[in-house]
């Protein structure tokens, strides 16, 4: 089996190995004598031994005194090839470090065997016992079975039985690995070598008693105070015959012991446990060794080292106390930490003299102790001394840094000031920080020069300030061989100076930005307020364009002011974004203010469209004016104002001209609401039902100016207010119509009768004259109405005549064509539409008059005025005064009752407006 050679003893059926074992098992040095863990070799061994593909494996380790036969025992029991001592060459160390091998004699169960370097060896001596503790603890942590090799004659002894080593590894194992009691118990197998006549059970009693006392005596963590050794270890025992004197018995004992490492063997030592996967064995072993190497509880020094530690520590403490109580140090510390901000001249020389005196005193008293300990304690004393003096040194460095920083910043401010002379600039740039003003700084010059560019002046000041700081530090504060040699302090000074310069630069840039803020606000407010007064379609694109133009103009001004600051592209971009954000914020503030005054803006827009003509002159309400159509257009214009003030369109939605679907839907919904209210029929397929909506879908909440319910309320309030002005216009138009159709006075009739009697009788006796006169009269009246003489003459005599002359020929053609159509209709036996409309209009004239008089005393009194003053006699166009406010938006209905003015415009007004020969809907 894998190179093993066995012979069978038929009588006893006991497997006995040939006296000379065959060493063919692979082995590798896991940890060398210097404590170096061989990670790569372990990985290769794990792969070659097929450990990485298994999770059912057993790890066995052995520890014990040097040259006690550990390697020989492992070779006979497991068939390994560990190196053994050649007795003929003398007793000496053979195994160095920790070796690992696979057990060839246990082929059915994967078993890994570790052979540890022996303890208590003369090669390491009494001062180097750390490795044996570390290797023993490593074996205890990694192995499933830890074999402790012990001579039978050493049982009962303190050091010979290895009790100090066991005590140490037990204690550190509890502290370092915190094992869980009764979960995984490591098998602790004591192999008693060279058994004598003393019965094994007697030896076990002694060892059990020693183990229990040792366990109770060790320092344990609080959670293990009441624990017993068997809570963590399964203690087993085995006895071996003398290797040389009873060699055959030794071989037989080794064979019997091997059977205990088989899972199904008698008194098996294999316990079911939760192993890590074989692939993780190498990593687990490496981490355990790293944790053990850093555990200081295993580093127990020798006696002379312990004495040196105690005495050197006492000497160092005495020297440190003497330094602190030294009056010279107290005086120097008081000067350095006075808080005046002044640098103590010669501070470094005085301080180094005191420190050197203290260290020399320590070396003189500790010169006879261990040099390593003496050096270590000297370093500790030096560190403590610097802890004492560091606050004073730090205060001095801080004072020097403050002086130089203040001087440098003063020089920089002088160099970049608004007024300075040439010599002053040279002094500021070349004097060096801390030098204050030079002779050149006091020189006078009549030339007033521009300030130096900030970056150029800053570089000059920083270079001179850094040189001045190094000179001053070298003179008074440099402490060679310490952290205060000047390099770190100079770097810190340069860093802080650069931060101060950048802070000053940032302040100057911020001041420049604040200076142009007012310019930006004025540049934005002017065009934005003007655009918001009308709120025509596409106003958002123009608003954002105005904001961008203002930001761009302000940016050019700002960049001209900051030319000497050498702005980085990122800084320029940040300023652009800041100015753009400020412009956008100003724009949004104006828009939100406009949304708060939406009612008045809608009224203003309605008044502008309704009461002003194309030339922006006030309308004179004439019989032919189409008031319902004008009111429709004016209300749609007001609705457009409301639609533009509903939500904020972000700049990116207005730049490309395509807009945003959600904002377009809001605008369309507001206009659909207005059209549905004005036309009396809802939209066929509205994009958004504003009557039932409680929010704007797809619109960010921060961009909402008016919610849907606010839109509905605003529109109702506007309609109620606009009805007053529409009714006043209708009243003025009716007054103008009535004034134009008033009968002649009685005296005029008498005058015509007496003065025109002859002509009248001629017409009666001659029908042709009568017919011709009637035709001329009708033609003249129609031509008068077509030319709109009253409106044209209201512009002035000369402009009116010129306008009438220009319109005369087209008007004549129009009247002749209309007369021809009327005669054709009469010849066909039909009544012309104009005459039909006049008939209906005359029938409803009484109701129109009564509805107009219902508006109150203001409108009634206006009806009695002259026609030329009709449009100027309104007391308040929105019905706020004059007694008409109570019935706002209502007119008389046929047959009694009241109705809304919109219904009046759509029904009764059609007949009334038909009398003037105009259409009642949007047919213009």
């Amino acid at each position: 089996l894998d190179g093993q050679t066995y012979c069978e003893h038929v009588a006893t059926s006991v497997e006995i190995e040939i006296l000379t074992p065959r060493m063919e098992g692979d082995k590798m040095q896991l940890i060398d004598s210097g404590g170096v863990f061989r990670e790569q070799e372990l990985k290769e061994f794990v792969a070659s031994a097929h450990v990485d593909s298994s999770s059912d494996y057993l790890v066995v380790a052995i520890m014990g005194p040097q040259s006690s036969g550990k390697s020989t025992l492992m070779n006979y029991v497991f068939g390994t090839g560990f190196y053994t001592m050649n007795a003929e060459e003398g007793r000496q160390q053979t195994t160095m470090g920790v070796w690992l091998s696979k057990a060839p004699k246990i082929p059915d169960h994967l078993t890994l065997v570790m052979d540890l370097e022996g303890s208590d060896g003369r090669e390491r001596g009494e001062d180097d016992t750390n490795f044996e503790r570390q290797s023993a603890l490593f074996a205890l942590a990694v192995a499933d079975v830890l074999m402790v090799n012990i001579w039978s004659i050493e049982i009962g002894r303190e050091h010979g039985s290895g009790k100090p080593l066991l005590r140490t590894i037990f204690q550190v194992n509890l502290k370092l690995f915190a094992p869980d009691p009764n979960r995984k118990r490591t098998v602790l197998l004591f192999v008693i070598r060279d058994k004598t006549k003393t019965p094994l059970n007697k030896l076990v009693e002694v060892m059990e008693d020693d183990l229990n006392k040792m366990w109770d005596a060790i320092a344990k963590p609080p959670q293990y105070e009441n624990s017993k050794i068997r809570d963590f270890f399964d203690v087993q025992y085995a006895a071996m015959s003398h290797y040389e004197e009873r060699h055959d018995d030794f071989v037989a004992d080794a064979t019997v012991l091997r059977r205990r490492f088989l899972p199904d063997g008698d008194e098996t030592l294999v316990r079911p446990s939760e192993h890590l996967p074989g692939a993780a064995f190498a990593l687990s072993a490496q981490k355990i060794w790293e944790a053990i190497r850093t555990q200081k509880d295993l580093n127990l020094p020798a006696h002379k080292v312990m004495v040196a530690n105690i005495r050197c520590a006492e000497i160092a403490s005495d020297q440190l106390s003497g330094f602190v109580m030294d009056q010279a140090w107290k005086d120097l510390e008081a000067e350095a930490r006075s808080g005046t901000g002044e640098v103590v001249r010669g501070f470094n020389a005085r301080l180094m003299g005191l420190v050197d005196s203290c260290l020399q005193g320590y070396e003189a008293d500790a010169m006879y102790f261990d040099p390593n300990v003496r050096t270590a304690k000297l370093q500790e004393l030096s560190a403590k001394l610097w802890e004492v003096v560091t606050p004073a040194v730090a205060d001095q460095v801080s004072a020097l840094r403050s002086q130089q920083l203040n001087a440098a910043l003063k020089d920089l401010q002088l160099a970049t000031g608004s007024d300075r002379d040439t010599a002053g600039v040279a002094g500021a740039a070349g004097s060096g920080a801390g030098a204050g003003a030079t002779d050149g700084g006091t020189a006078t010059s009549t030339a007033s020069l521009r300030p130096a560019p900030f970056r150029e002046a800053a570089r000059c000041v920083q270079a001179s300030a850094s040189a001045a700081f190094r000179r001053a530090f070298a003179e008074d504060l440099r402490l060679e061989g310490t952290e205060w040699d000047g390099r770190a302090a100079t770097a810190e000074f340069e860093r802080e100076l650069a931060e101060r310069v950048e802070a000053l630069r940032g302040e100057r840039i911020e001041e420049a930005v604040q200076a142009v803020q007012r310019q930006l606000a004025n540049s934005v407010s002017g065009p934005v307020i003007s655009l918001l007064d009308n709120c025509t379609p596409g106003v958002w694109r123009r608003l954002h364009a105005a904001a961008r133009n203002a930001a761009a103009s302000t940016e050019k001004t700002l960049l001209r002011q900051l030319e000497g600051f050498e702005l980085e592209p990122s800084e320029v971009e940040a300023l652009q974004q800041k100015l753009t954000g400020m412009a956008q914020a100003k724009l949004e503030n104006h828009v939100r203010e406009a949304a708060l005054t939406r009612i008045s803006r809608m009224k203003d827009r309605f008044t502008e469209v309704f009461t002003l003509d194309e030339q922006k002159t006030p309308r004179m309400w004439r019989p032919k004016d189409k008031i319902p159509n004008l009111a429709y257009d004016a209300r749609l214009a007001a609705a457009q104002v409301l639609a533009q003030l509903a939500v904020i369109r972000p700049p990116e939605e207005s730049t490309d001209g395509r807009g945003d679907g959600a904002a377009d839907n809001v605008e369309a919904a507001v206009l659909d609401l207005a059209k549905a209210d004005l036309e009396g029929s809802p939209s066929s397929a509205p994009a958004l039902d504003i009557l039932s909506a409680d929010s704007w879908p797809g619109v960010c909440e921060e961009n909402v100016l008016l919610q849907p319910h606010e839109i509905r309320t605003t529109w109702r309030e506007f309609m109620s207010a606009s009805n007053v002005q529409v009714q006043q216009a209708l009243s003025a138009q009716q007054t103008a119509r009535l004034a134009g159709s008033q009968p002649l006075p009685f005296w005029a009739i008498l005058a015509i009768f007496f003065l025109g009697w002859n002509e009248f009788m001629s017409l009666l006796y001659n029908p042709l004259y009568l017919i011709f006169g009637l035709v001329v009269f009708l033609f003249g009246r129609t031509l008068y109405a077509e030319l709109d003489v009253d409106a044209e003459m209201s512009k002035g005599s000369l402009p009116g005549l010129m306008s009438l002359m220009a319109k005369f020929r087209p008007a004549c053609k129009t009247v002749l064509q209309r007369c021809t159509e009327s005669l054709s209709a009469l010849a066909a036996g039909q009544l012309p539409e104009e005459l039909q409309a006049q008939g209906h209009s005359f029938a409803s004239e009484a109701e129109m008059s009564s509805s107009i008089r219902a508006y109150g005393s203001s409108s009634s009194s206006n009806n009695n005025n002259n026609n030329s003053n009709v449009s100027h006699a309104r007391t308040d166009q929105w019905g706020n005064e004059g007694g008409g406010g109570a019935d706002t938006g209502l007119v008389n209905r046929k047959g009694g009752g009241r109705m809304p003015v919109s219904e009046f415009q759509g029904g009764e007004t059609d007949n009334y407006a038909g009398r003037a020969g105009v259409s009642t809907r949007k047919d213009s």
Side-chain angles (χ1 to χ4, degrees):
L1 299 173
D2 294 337
Q4 299 183 47
T5 304
Y6 294 97
C7 62
E8 296 181 355
H9 191 277
V10 178
T12 59
S13 298
V14 176
E15 213 176 58
I16 301 177
E17 190 175 7
I18 296 179
L19 298 181
T20 303
R22 300 176 63 183
M23 307 301 182
E24 297 180 359
D26 294 335
K27 61 181 178 296
M28 56 88 57
Q29 190 176 28
L30 180 61
I31 302 172
D32 64 15
S33 59
V36 178
F37 190 90
R38 300 182 180 274
E39 178 183 0
Q40 186 61 33
E41 289 83 349
L42 177 60
K43 291 181 179 179
E44 296 175 358
F45 174 82
V46 168
S48 63
H50 306 292
V51 180
D52 54 352
S53 60
S54 174
S55 60
D56 185 16
Y57 57 91
L58 182 68
V59 181
V60 181
I62 187 169
M63 59 173 286
Q66 178 176 307
S67 302
S68 60
K70 301 185 301 300
S71 301
T72 302
L73 178 63
M74 302 302 275
N75 292 340
Y76 276 91
V77 174
F78 298 105
T80 56
F82 295 128
Y83 298 115
T84 59
M85 183 188 68
N86 188 351
E88 295 180 356
E89 296 180 358
R91 307 189 67 83
Q92 58 187 355
Q93 186 182 37
T94 304
T95 302
M96 302 179 66
V98 179
W99 289 74
L100 179 65
S101 176
K102 185 179 178 181
K105 289 187 178 182
I106 307 179
D108 297 334
H109 188 258
L110 180 60
T111 303
L112 302 179
V113 182
M114 284 196 304
D115 187 15
L116 274 63
E117 177 181 321
S119 61
D120 198 19
R122 69 180 182 84
E123 286 78 6
R124 291 189 180 270
E126 63 174 351
D127 297 334
D128 189 10
T129 58
N130 293 331
F131 183 78
E132 65 182 40
R133 299 187 186 93
Q134 293 172 352
S135 59
L137 180 59
F138 175 75
L140 180 64
V142 174
D144 299 300
V145 180
L146 176 61
M147 301 172 61
V148 181
N149 198 42
I150 182 173
W151 296 96
S152 61
I153 59 176
E154 299 290 346
I155 295 177
R157 297 177 181 176
E158 183 68 19
H159 293 279
S161 60
K163 288 169 60 178
L165 179 59
L166 288 175
R167 185 183 298 108
T168 301
I169 63 174
F170 286 163
Q171 180 174 322
V172 178
N173 180 66
L174 292 179
K175 178 181 178 181
L176 184 60
F177 298 107
D180 189 3
N182 296 318
R183 181 177 179 181
K184 178 187 175 182
R185 296 195 304 166
T186 302
V187 177
L188 199 61
L189 176 62
F190 288 92
V191 181
I192 302 174
R193 303 290 297 274
D194 300 347
K195 57 184 178 180
T196 60
K197 294 182 180 180
T198 305
L200 180 61
N201 59 342
K202 295 297 182 179
L203 297 176
V204 169
E205 289 179 1
V206 175
M207 294 194 67
E208 287 284 344
D209 185 59
D210 290 344
L211 287 174
N212 291 330
K213 291 180 179 179
M214 178 177 58
W215 184 265
D216 294 337
I218 64 174
K220 294 183 284 293
Q223 65 269 29
Y224 302 130
E225 284 294 338
N226 298 323
S227 62
K228 301 298 181 183
I229 188 172
R230 291 191 178 272
D231 294 339
F232 302 92
F233 301 100
D234 183 2
V235 182
Q236 299 290 330
Y237 300 92
M240 300 291 294
S241 300
H242 198 285
Y243 174 74
E244 295 179 350
E245 297 178 0
R246 301 173 59 184
H247 186 73
D248 294 343
D249 294 339
F250 177 84
V251 173
D253 292 340
T255 303
V256 173
L257 181 60
R258 183 188 316 122
R259 291 179 177 177
R260 298 184 66 178
F261 290 95
L262 299 176
D264 53 352
D266 297 336
E267 298 181 355
T268 180
L269 300 175
V270 180
R271 305 288 186 263
S273 61
E274 299 176 359
H275 278 105
L276 290 173
F281 175 76
L283 178 63
S284 174
Q286 178 187 2
K287 296 301 180 183
I288 290 175
W289 180 248
E290 290 177 358
I292 292 174
R293 290 284 287 180
T294 58
Q295 180 54 240
K296 296 182 178 180
D297 290 347
L298 298 174
N299 301 330
L300 300 179
H303 177 71
K304 64 179 182 179
V305 176
M306 296 177 63
V307 173
N309 278 323
I310 296 174
R311 282 296 300 134
C312 290
E314 292 176 351
I315 296 171
S317 177
D318 294 340
Q319 291 294 330
L320 181 62
S321 299
F323 177 85
V324 173
M325 300 304 296
D326 190 353
Q327 187 61 40
W329 160 246
K330 291 182 178 180
D331 295 340
L332 182 60
E333 183 183 24
E335 294 180 33
R337 309 194 67 182
S338 61
T340 58
E342 297 294 332
V343 178
V344 178
R345 295 300 179 183
F347 175 82
N348 49 358
R350 294 168 61 185
L351 178 62
M352 288 303 296
L354 295 174
V355 172
D356 290 342
S357 175
C358 179
L359 296 178
Q360 291 172 2
Y362 166 83
E363 291 179 344
D365 294 341
M367 61 182 300
Y368 299 105
F369 295 101
D370 184 81
N372 295 330
V373 176
R374 183 174 69 246
T375 303
K377 295 301 179 179
L378 177 63
Q379 294 176 353
E380 292 180 6
L381 175 60
S382 178
K384 291 181 179 179
L385 285 174
W386 286 115
E387 289 180 2
V388 173
V389 304
T390 290
V393 179
D395 286 352
Q396 285 293 287
V397 174
S398 178
L400 178 61
R401 184 168 57 245
S402 298
Q403 288 181 358
Q404 300 295 326
L405 284 174
N406 294 334
L409 292 177
K410 182 178 179 182
D411 290 346
L412 180 59
Q413 291 174 352
L414 291 175
T416 57
S418 59
D419 295 321
R420 62 187 176 90
D421 52 77
T422 306
V425 173
S431 62
T438 62
D439 296 338
T442 59
T444 59
S445 176
T446 58
S448 179
L449 302 179
R450 294 179 56 191
F454 186 89
R455 277 296 190 189
E456 179 181 347
R459 283 191 289 266
C460 183
V461 168
Q462 284 178 292
S464 59
S466 179
F469 181 85
R470 284 193 293 270
R471 288 194 302 270
F473 194 93
E475 292 176 1
D476 299 319
L477 300 180
R478 177 178 296 171
L479 302 173
E480 293 294 343
T482 68
E483 60 177 315
W484 305 105
D485 57 359
R487 289 190 296 268
T490 302
E492 177 66 17
F493 170 77
E494 292 176 349
R495 182 193 63 79
E496 188 170 352
L497 178 58
E499 291 179 355
R500 295 283 190 92
V501 170
E502 287 300 317
L504 181 60
R505 177 174 176 270
E507 293 176 1
R508 296 287 180 86
I509 294 175
E510 187 62 27
E511 291 174 359
V513 172
Q514 294 178 358
V516 299
Q517 280 184 354
R518 180 173 299 178
Q519 173 189 344
L520 177 62
N522 294 335
S523 301
V524 173
S525 298
V528 167
I529 293 175
S530 178
L531 290 171
L532 289 176
D533 287 341
N534 293 327
C535 282
T536 56
V539 69
W540 278 105
R541 183 171 61 258
R542 300 173 65 186
L543 286 173
H544 289 302
R548 287 194 301 273
N549 294 337
S553 175
T554 306
E555 177 190 344
K556 292 180 181 178
T557 302
L558 180 60
L559 292 180
R560 283 197 302 269
Q561 297 177 3
L562 299 178
E563 287 181 352
F565 286 82
E566 299 181 7
L567 298 178
E568 298 291 336
S570 59
E571 293 177 316
V572 174
E573 183 179 359
L575 289 177
Q576 292 174 347
Q577 293 177 356
K578 185 173 184 178
L579 293 177
T580 303
M582 292 167 58
Q584 184 65 22
K586 191 67 176 178
L587 168 61
E588 291 186 5
N589 288 338
H590 284 300
V591 173
R592 294 186 186 278
E593 292 177 1
L596 296 176
T597 59
R598 55 191 178 276
I599 290 290
S600 62
R601 292 178 181 273
M602 293 173 66
K603 290 180 181 179
D604 294 342
R605 183 61 177 162
F606 175 84
T607 301
E608 179 183 359
V609 176
F610 186 66
T611 62
L612 300 180
D613 58 12
E614 291 78 2
Q615 288 76 28
K616 301 300 180 181
T617 59
R619 297 184 187 272
M620 303 290 291
W621 296 117
R622 301 179 299 275
K624 66 174 295 184
D625 289 336
K626 303 172 185 178
I627 293 179
N629 290 350
L630 292 173
Y632 182 90
D633 294 339
R635 282 168 171 159
L636 278 185
Q640 187 63 248
V641 174
L642 185 60
Q644 297 298 328
L645 295 178
V647 296
I648 295 177
R649 289 178 181 260
E652 58 273 10
E653 298 173 4
S654 302
T655 303
D656 54 11
R658 293 177 297 180
D660 177 35
D664 291 340
N665 290 340
V666 172
E667 182 176 347
V670 177
L671 295 179
D672 288 342
L673 172 66
K675 292 178 180 179
D677 191 17
L678 294 175
E679 297 175 0
S681 60
S683 177
S684 58
L688 175 63
D689 186 7
I690 196 173
L691 295 177
S692 60
D694 59 350
S695 62
W696 301 119
V699 180
C700 182
E701 188 65 27
E702 62 184 11
N703 290 336
V704 175
L705 296 175
L706 300 173
Q707 295 290 354
H709 69 275
E710 295 177 309
I711 295 291
R712 297 192 293 267
T713 303
T714 301
W715 180 251
R716 286 195 299 268
E717 293 179 4
F718 166 73
M719 286 297 296
S720 298
S722 64
N723 286 338
V724 175
Q725 194 168 1
V726 174
Q727 290 175 1
Q728 290 178 355
L730 290 172
S731 176
Q733 187 183 55
Q734 177 66 8
T735 302
R737 181 177 288 109
L738 294 177
S741 61
Q742 288 181 356
L744 292 174
F746 181 72
W747 59 269
I749 296 175
L750 291 179
I752 292 173
F753 180 75
F754 287 109
L755 297 177
W757 174 259
N758 294 334
E759 289 77 4
F760 179 70
M761 294 304 294
S762 300
L763 291 176
L764 290 178
Y765 285 111
N766 192 348
L768 292 177
Y769 289 160
L770 179 61
I771 294 173
F772 179 75
L774 181 60
V775 170
V776 171
F777 173 74
L778 292 177
F779 181 81
R781 180 173 180 178
T782 305
L783 182 61
Y784 184 88
E786 185 68 24
L787 290 173
D788 198 3
V789 177
D790 294 338
E792 297 296 340
M793 294 303 292
S794 64
K795 301 177 183 178
S797 300
L798 183 58
L801 290 175
M802 294 179 65
S803 179
L804 290 174
M805 290 174 62
K807 295 169 57 179
F808 181 76
R809 187 174 180 179
C812 289
K813 290 182 179 181
T814 302
V815 173
L816 287 175
Q817 183 179 1
R818 191 179 300 167
C819 290
T820 303
E821 293 175 356
S822 298
L823 292 176
S824 299
L826 288 174
Q830 297 179 355
L831 187 62
E833 295 179 359
E834 289 83 352
L835 297 178
Q836 295 178 6
Q838 287 182 1
H840 291 294
S841 178
F842 288 132
S844 60
E845 186 172 314
E847 296 182 17
M848 177 67 72
S849 301
S850 63
S851 65
I852 292 173
R853 286 193 298 272
Y855 273 70
S857 60
S858 175
S859 297
S860 298
S861 62
N862 290 337
N863 291 337
N864 297 326
N865 293 335
N866 199 323
N867 186 32
S868 62
N869 297 325
V870 169
S871 61
H872 302 284
R874 299 191 300 270
T875 302
D876 189 344
Q877 63 181 0
W878 296 103
N880 296 327
E881 296 180 9
D887 293 332
T888 299
L890 299 174
V891 298
N892 290 335
R893 186 188 300 272
K894 283 184 178 181
R898 312 285 277 174
M899 73 175 187
V901 69
S902 59
E903 183 179 346
F904 168 71
Q905 294 172 1
E908 300 295 333
T909 309
D910 287 348
N911 296 329
Y912 169 69
R915 179 181 173 190
V918 296
S919 61
T920 60
R921 308 309 292 167
K922 288 184 62 180
D923 55 0
S924 60

